[in-house]
Amino acid sequence: MSDLRSVFVDMDRGADLALEQFALATDDGLETAVILSLFTDARAADDDTLPLGQSDRRGWWGDAYPPVAGDRIGSRLWLLRASKQLQASLTEAKEYVEQALAWLVADGAARRVEVETFVARDEVMGMIVRIHRPDGSVAPIRFETLWNQV
């Protein structure tokens, strides 16, 4: 089954639909699902520290009406947007990505998901997500997101 293909632009603009020869492109892989899982804002947990000056715990409105009880969409990567470039931030980002993509394994779309986070360059966090599919193939997806350090 095909989905409309999304491409990640950046943290400010998010993702956009891809065009292919003046038509909307489709995606038979998992890239669009990964983009939506990572860059839709999940609701912050009660014990999460919100970015300076924010009181909105965000979250996707559709989580109020999940098709499967307890199902949630998105990640808490948005909480790290103003964090410093520290190993602790990279570790937290890795945990957020793993949590957001755990559904791939639970639903049988992947055998496992590997996540690597790193400083790509000054003020840019890099992430490589490797989706190990049931057929044994591996789909690597790379993202670079800006850190707006305070």
Side-chain angles (χ1 to χ4, degrees):
M1 182 172 89
S2 293
D3 288 323
L4 291 177
R5 183 168 181 257
S6 294
V7 291
F8 178 70
V9 179
D10 60 36
M11 289 298 281
D12 288 325
R13 294 175 284 178
D16 202 354
L17 295 174
L19 293 176
E20 207 169 74
Q21 298 179 357
F22 306 109
L24 291 172
T26 57
D27 176 14
D28 289 329
L30 294 173
E31 190 168 356
T32 294
V34 169
I35 288 170
L36 292 175
S37 295
L38 296 183
F39 302 109
T40 298
D41 294 346
R43 184 161 182 81
D46 291 338
D47 61 344
D48 282 333
T49 301
L50 297 178
L52 190 61
Q54 292 192 27
S55 60
D56 184 3
R57 301 196 89 66
R58 299 192 187 183
W60 185 57
W61 66 268
D63 285 346
Y65 308 99
V68 176
D71 229 0
R72 298 287 182 260
I73 291 180
S75 77
R76 294 182 293 159
L77 284 172
W78 66 272
L79 292 168
L80 301 176
R81 190 100 189 274
S83 65
K84 294 182 179 180
Q85 286 182 275
L86 302 173
Q87 184 57 45
S89 299
L90 292 172
T91 300
E92 207 165 8
K94 182 178 190 274
E95 290 172 10
Y96 290 164
V97 171
E98 289 170 343
Q99 290 168 2
L101 298 178
W103 71 270
L104 290 169
V105 175
D107 287 4
R111 283 188 299 131
R112 77 176 195 271
V113 176
E114 290 178 336
V115 179
E116 179 185 343
T117 56
F118 54 93
V119 175
R121 58 187 176 280
D122 194 34
E123 297 187 21
V124 178
M125 175 177 53
M127 295 179 283
I128 298 177
V129 176
R130 292 178 188 88
I131 310 292
H132 294 260
R133 298 176 190 226
D135 67 4
S137 64
V138 179
I141 307 169
R142 181 183 173 110
F143 300 101
E144 291 187 0
T145 64
L146 289 177
W147 256 314
N148 293 335
Q149 296 185 47
V150 290

